[in-house]
Amino acid sequence: MKDQFRSSIILVLITLLIYGCNGKTGSADYPIQPVPFTSVKLTDNFWAPRIKKNASVTIPIAFSFCESTGRVKNFEVAGGLDTGKFVGIYPFDDSDVFKIIEGASFSLQTFPDPKLDAYLDTLIYKIGMAQEDDGYLYTNRTIAEMHGGKGLHAWAGKNRWELDTVLSHELYNLGHLYEAAVAHYQATGKRTLLDIALKSANLVSKDIGWDKLKVYPGHQVIEMGLVKLYRATGDKKYLNLAKFFLDVRGPNGEQYNQAHKKPIDQTEAVGHSVRATYMYSGMADIAAIEKDEAYLNAITKIWEDIVYRKIYITGGIGATGGNEGFADPFVLPNMSAYCETCASIGDIFTNHRLFLLHGETKYIDILEKTLYNSMLSGVSLSADRFFYPNPLESDGQHQRSAWFGCACCPSNVARFIPAIPGYIYAVTDKDLFINLFISNDAVINIGKNKVNITQNANFPWDGKVEVVLFPEKNKKFSLQIRIPGWAVNEAIPGGLYRFAENSSEKYTISVNDQPIEYEVKNGFAELKRKWENGDRVEIEFPMPVRKVIADERIKDDIGKIAIQRGPIIYCAEWPDNNSGNVLDLVVNQDASFRTEYVPALLDGTQIIKTTGFQTIKNLNGTIDKLTEEQVTLIPYALWNNRGPGQMMVWLPVTTESTRPLPAPTVAFRSKIRASKVTKTLSAVNDQIEPENSNDHSVLYYHWWPDTNKWEWIQYDFDKPEKISKTKVYWFDDSPGGGCRIPDEWEILYLSGNIWMPVKGKFPYKVTKDGWDSLQFQSVTTSSLKIKVKLNKEFSAGIYEWIVK
Ligand SMILES: [Zn+2]
């Protein structure tokens, strides 16, 4: 007995030594622990107002859209509290409600609000009623079953779980439920939603597993959710289920949802980028908790693939809209950049986890870049308009929306913004990491030493940071201050982007006004000492305006520079520059850059001024520079707060890489009319030629979703013109899209008030990936019309229509 007792004590000691003791789980987790946002009170002028607006504007309107679009009613009907059919477009609409509950729970901890708290109670009651007796929760199926199976969504599958690998999103919804449940439990101490989540997770674990139904989620997120349930309860069943959902994935599935290989065999970021980043985050959790080398290796290689080859200068990821995801390496088009807001948030989740695993600043460099640029662009200053894609260039076709049919992005913003203070600090028993520079008051436990900390900064506009420490006990610990890559001449880890010139300005660190000695380890300045009450650390990061150059393999950025100051990427936008045009600009590469803070602009922002030229095409095809003028740049994330219009991040420095103003051709001088007027009608005479019929970097005009009829576009000239030639370039997004080259087309001219066909010896050819030219007997006319016969099943579109 004694020996047994002793050996079990030794076992416990060994377990503690190996795994440490973290929270309720009593086993391993991340070696570095985040400091929760609840311990950090922001006092800054940049994020604090945004978090407040998220609480007062975003969360209430997101809930009201959930009510008005029927998302809440679906729970009421499924729970027998109301009658009717499933309302809405997608079976994953349930997830939006869960995500906003998560955001509201976070928000309640900063802004206590009894009304919101009570609203959540009601909502959670409805969700509980909608949950079936055995724990199943998916309003579409439950409602359909009430109507004898009628109204079952085509994606849902006849039986539970059977289509989850593809389309049903049952497990996706539940992943968001689990995350919301833990957030609500931590915020309020109420178990209501947590109990619903556990009942659901117990059913999933009863139905699905190695010796049961072997399915993996078609859209990942449940992996992270289950890990949170495991941390909240200490029940390993949930952790095992999370690992199962990763291990059961691949190798014979789709690349689109990262099931083409087993996750541990994946080395490249492919497919849908939100699914991908959620999976990578889940993999990091497993790598941390299970100390799983295979997961660790895979996630490291994937991270390098993203950061070295597939990320935009703004931190945006997922270049293409067709798959809402990753393209080939170095394929990073600017105007058609997808960069979904959710993917930015997912990538922040992944990079934060990788930092907690490795303690290296390079992960926070990506996190900070994404946070201040691509993610923040996803929401308007008014906090009630959202971008789904976040392009780096616009001809005015982009505008934030109040809501979307697929509302993943607004609900993701609603839950992400309140949690931002949680990314500032992290700790071990002997280290305090300062990752982000945002003014705040925080209370942090470093081992058993409680430390109050005050950070004063005017980030992101000013590089001066003051940190004052108030430890309960004067004890030794390491203050680990992140030295951002941009402060040491590194535009991005790995060199996909680089600064055009090295800056000789150095950052400085002092303690109590005295310079000190320190080592830089993993990118952190390590200040190891016995810290005393009131010790004051001053850091100054120089913030000169930096010119950024892209790897030459990124075709869209050749001959261009981007402008960065601190973590902020800048853009030229229409209201600040020459009568609304910016895409035709060439900036002077050697010009000086001036920067100033403008309190009245965009709620207060640092702008940058330089000089450049507008360019214009001549009728003979050459490009002229117009007179030199001032070019004003604003932070990229703040664009599109003054209406839609032209914007660009990558600024041409050569005339070859710009998009000059169109030459004054007959087509350009004419007024365009069409059978269907859309925002992109002006594409047909903008003189921008696509590379092929499916080039999404160039604007096109289309009649989608119309099919099987004649449509037309007409040029009205300001005076009668003699015309004898025309050519047209068709849009065709086969095989995936809804447009094809048309069945036929015809050119008509206005003779008196009668439309006559042009005459000549020609067949009307219809060509994909090239021009269709036509020469005809010259006509003198005031209007020319192109008639287009759409295919029976497909619509059509036009890039350019030239007349001579
Ligand atoms: Zn989204």
Side-chain angles (χ1 to χ4, degrees):
M1 274 299 275
K2 264 186 179 173
D3 280 343
Q4 263 184 7
F5 181 64
R6 189 180 297 147
S7 55
S8 52
I9 286 200
I10 289 169
L11 196 69
V12 168
L13 282 175
I14 289 172
T15 312
L16 282 174
L17 278 173
I18 295 174
Y19 295 116
C21 189
N22 259 307
K24 283 185 189 168
T25 57
S27 65
D29 210 317
Y30 287 98
I32 301 171
Q33 285 291 307
V35 172
F37 70 90
T38 43
S39 305
V40 183
K41 190 180 175 311
L42 295 198
T43 53
D44 79 319
N45 293 324
F46 190 86
W47 289 111
R50 284 174 164 83
I51 293 172
K52 206 169 166 193
K53 261 193 195 162
N54 186 74
S56 63
V57 179
T58 309
I59 289 172
I61 62 159
F63 274 136
S64 84
F65 274 112
C66 284
E67 300 271 1
S68 65
T69 56
R71 281 167 168 79
V72 173
K73 189 175 176 203
N74 286 336
F75 288 102
E76 293 166 358
V77 174
L81 302 167
D82 200 347
T83 53
K85 291 187 176 143
F86 180 82
V87 206
I89 311 168
Y90 302 108
F92 54 73
D93 284 354
D94 292 359
S95 70
D96 296 320
V97 179
F98 302 145
K99 268 152 88 183
I100 305 161
I101 292 177
E102 186 185 3
S105 302
F106 288 157
S107 186
L108 276 178
Q109 298 177 69
T110 311
F111 305 104
D113 179 347
K115 256 172 84 182
L116 180 60
D117 191 14
Y119 177 74
L120 293 188
D121 286 343
T122 314
L123 214 47
I124 291 165
Y125 171 72
K126 291 173 186 173
I127 294 166
M129 291 300 285
Q131 184 170 38
E132 297 187 18
D133 288 345
D134 64 353
Y136 187 73
L137 184 52
Y138 186 71
T139 60
N140 178 262
R141 187 183 311 281
T142 307
I143 296 171
E145 278 169 5
M146 292 171 162
H147 296 91
K150 252 196 216 154
L152 186 68
H153 199 282
W155 294 1
K158 244 172 93 185
N159 302 303
R160 290 176 180 187
W161 321 121
E162 73 177 16
L163 278 192
D164 201 85
T165 298
V166 205
L167 283 168
S168 78
H169 290 80
E170 286 154 291
L171 297 170
Y172 169 77
N173 288 349
L174 297 181
H176 282 303
L177 167 70
Y178 302 166
E179 295 203 300
V182 173
H184 183 255
Y185 171 61
Q186 286 169 347
T188 63
K190 298 178 202 172
R191 289 191 59 99
T192 44
L193 195 58
L194 185 63
D195 286 339
I196 293 170
L198 295 177
K199 193 172 169 187
S200 153
N202 292 343
L203 173 76
V204 175
S205 123
K206 188 171 124 296
D207 285 357
I208 301 174
W210 288 118
D211 48 354
K212 304 160 207 170
L213 191 61
K214 285 199 262 302
V215 292
Y216 56 83
H219 193 315
Q220 300 89 322
V221 79
I222 197 167
E223 303 81 357
M224 279 190 281
L226 284 164
V227 170
K228 287 184 182 172
L229 287 188
Y230 158 67
R231 287 203 189 102
T233 62
D235 189 340
K236 250 199 140 179
K237 176 172 68 185
Y238 306 123
L239 179 67
N240 295 340
L241 193 54
K243 188 163 186 297
F244 164 81
F245 279 132
L246 290 166
D247 289 340
V248 77
R249 212 175 187 84
N252 299 313
E254 299 281 322
Q255 179 165 298
Y256 172 71
N257 60 16
Q258 299 83 31
H260 60 302
K261 287 181 181 177
K262 297 211 139 295
I264 52 166
D265 295 330
Q266 298 190 22
T267 53
E268 290 171 15
V270 292
H272 189 274
S273 50
V274 183
R275 287 169 161 85
T277 52
Y278 287 0
M279 183 175 88
Y280 306 152
S281 299
M283 288 168 72
D285 283 346
I286 296 298
I289 298 169
E290 300 271 315
K291 307 290 166 220
D292 191 313
E293 285 290 324
Y295 273 93
L296 203 60
N297 290 338
I299 187 83
T300 303
K301 283 185 194 135
I302 293 167
W303 182 86
E304 286 176 357
D305 187 48
I306 296 175
V307 175
Y308 298 176
R309 290 177 276 274
K310 295 177 182 167
I311 193 169
Y312 283 93
I313 185 68
T314 54
I317 56 166
T320 44
N323 61 343
E324 296 194 304
F326 293 102
D328 286 338
F330 309 106
V331 176
L332 294 161
N334 292 315
M335 192 176 285
S336 62
Y338 202 64
C339 297
E340 184 176 337
T341 302
C342 289
S344 288
I345 292 173
D347 204 34
I348 289 175
F349 291 162
T350 304
N351 277 283
H352 188 229
R353 284 165 164 79
L354 290 175
F355 159 74
L356 297 173
L357 262 173
H358 299 293
E360 292 177 55
T361 54
K362 62 184 183 184
Y363 302 111
I364 305 296
D365 282 351
I366 300 297
L367 185 156
E368 184 191 60
K369 176 184 265 307
T370 310
L371 178 68
Y372 279 99
N373 301 292
S374 194
M375 187 294 297
L376 189 55
S377 155
V379 55
S380 68
L381 278 174
S382 52
D384 60 353
R385 292 282 185 282
F386 309 91
F387 268 137
Y388 201 116
N390 294 273
L392 281 78
E393 196 169 296
S394 181
D395 201 1
Q397 73 272 43
H398 305 99
Q399 194 166 8
R400 291 189 186 89
S401 298
W403 191 249
F404 302 93
C406 167
C408 55
C409 295
S411 52
N412 232 338
V413 166
R415 72 171 179 145
F416 176 73
I417 299 270
I420 287 173
Y423 294 96
I424 298 176
Y425 299 109
V427 287
T428 69
D429 283 352
K430 50 182 183 41
D431 306 276
L432 168 56
F433 292 88
I434 303 182
N435 284 331
L436 297 177
F437 307 100
I438 301 172
S439 295
N440 69 83
D441 294 315
V443 187
I444 299 171
N445 289 311
I446 303 160
K448 288 195 175 110
N449 194 6
K450 190 164 128 191
V451 180
N452 282 281
I453 177 167
T454 295
Q455 197 185 135
N456 297 310
N458 188 22
F459 249 62
W461 314 128
D462 190 291
K464 242 187 216 157
V465 183
E466 181 195 61
V467 176
V468 191
L469 298 163
F470 304 96
E472 216 168 51
K473 294 174 213 126
N474 296 345
K475 269 184 131 178
K476 195 168 176 179
F477 63 86
S478 293
L479 190 64
Q480 306 270 8
I481 300 165
R482 168 173 160 258
I483 308 301
W486 50 259
V488 285
N489 290 315
E490 185 182 82
I492 195 166
L496 184 61
Y497 305 101
R498 62 184 197 277
F499 293 125
E501 295 127 22
N502 269 347
S503 166
S504 55
E505 290 183 64
K506 293 254 176 345
Y507 67 89
T508 58
I509 301 176
S510 65
V511 176
N512 301 329
D513 299 319
Q514 300 299 314
I516 45 138
E517 279 187 19
Y518 55 85
E519 268 184 73
V520 176
K521 257 178 28 194
N522 293 329
F524 287 92
E526 189 181 33
L527 276 55
K528 210 188 265 181
R529 59 191 269 153
K530 192 188 232 181
W531 293 98
E532 293 181 9
N533 227 4
D535 275 345
R536 200 164 51 85
V537 182
E538 276 183 304
I539 311 142
E540 187 154 4
F541 298 114
M543 277 193 181
V545 177
R546 308 297 298 267
K547 285 176 270 190
V548 185
I549 298 170
D551 185 300
E552 67 226 3
R553 285 168 288 187
I554 306 177
K555 220 179 63 190
D556 246 41
D557 302 341
I558 293 174
K560 300 175 184 176
I561 56 171
I563 301 300
Q564 177 170 0
R565 184 174 176 274
I568 302 287
I569 303 296
Y570 279 77
C571 72
E573 198 193 8
W574 64 275
D576 311 303
N577 293 287
N578 54 57
S579 61
N581 291 313
V582 300
L583 296 180
D584 60 307
L585 278 173
V586 171
V587 298
N588 288 322
Q589 189 160 16
D590 304 321
S592 61
F593 292 84
R594 287 185 297 115
T595 178
E596 63 181 282
Y597 184 78
V598 186
L601 185 66
L602 298 164
D603 290 357
T605 186
Q606 194 85 19
I607 62 163
I608 291 172
K609 285 181 179 172
T610 185
T611 57
F613 302 86
Q614 268 191 288
T615 55
I616 186 163
K617 236 186 228 170
N618 278 317
L619 286 172
N620 62 19
T622 59
I623 298 168
D624 278 349
K625 280 182 178 175
L626 301 178
T627 48
E628 188 177 90
E629 57 188 74
Q630 181 174 281
V631 176
T632 301
L633 309 175
I634 61 157
Y636 163 73
L638 301 183
W639 86 280
N640 198 259
N641 276 295
R642 295 169 291 178
Q646 292 193 350
M647 179 280 294
M648 67 175 168
V649 168
W650 285 98
L651 311 171
V653 290
T654 64
T655 49
E656 294 77 42
S657 52
T658 190
R659 203 187 90 174
L661 291 170
T665 59
V666 177
F668 185 68
R669 284 183 286 114
S670 54
K671 200 170 160 258
I672 320 171
R673 289 201 274 173
S675 50
K676 181 173 175 179
V677 176
T678 70
K679 271 198 285 190
T680 59
L681 184 55
S682 62
V684 300
N685 71 348
D686 66 3
Q687 296 171 21
I688 302 163
E689 198 175 315
E691 282 212 354
N692 53 58
S693 284
N694 195 11
D695 180 352
H696 286 264
S697 66
V698 173
L699 271 195
Y700 53 88
Y701 165 80
H702 66 78
W703 289 282
W704 188 83
D706 294 335
T707 57
N708 198 26
K709 58 181 198 178
W710 283 94
E711 301 279 2
W712 55 269
I713 298 177
Q714 174 181 334
Y715 284 149
D716 292 339
F717 310 131
D718 45 6
K719 60 177 186 355
E721 297 277 357
K722 196 172 162 191
I723 310 286
S724 63
K725 279 186 204 159
T726 189
K727 58 179 190 173
V728 60
Y729 206 117
W730 307 107
F731 172 71
D732 180 325
D733 56 358
S734 57
C739 288
R740 299 290 182 274
I741 52 171
D743 284 354
E744 2 171 355
W745 60 290
E746 190 183 3
I747 298 287
L748 305 171
Y749 68 100
L750 196 61
S751 170
N753 42 22
I754 298 171
W755 287 102
M756 303 280 286
V758 295
K759 294 191 190 98
K761 276 194 217 151
F762 49 76
Y764 276 98
K765 286 187 300 163
V766 192
T767 307
K768 197 181 155 193
D769 300 327
W771 291 97
D772 276 324
S773 304
L774 201 68
Q775 183 143 18
F776 48 84
Q777 283 177 20
S778 71
V779 294
T780 301
T781 181
S782 60
S783 293
L784 206 69
K785 184 183 269 189
I786 181 167
K787 277 181 69 181
V788 178
K789 173 76 194 310
L790 309 184
N791 181 274
K792 228 170 153 182
E793 288 171 40
F794 293 101
S795 196
I798 289 179
Y799 279 105
E800 197 71 20
W801 176 33
I802 292 173
V803 298
K804 272 180 181 162

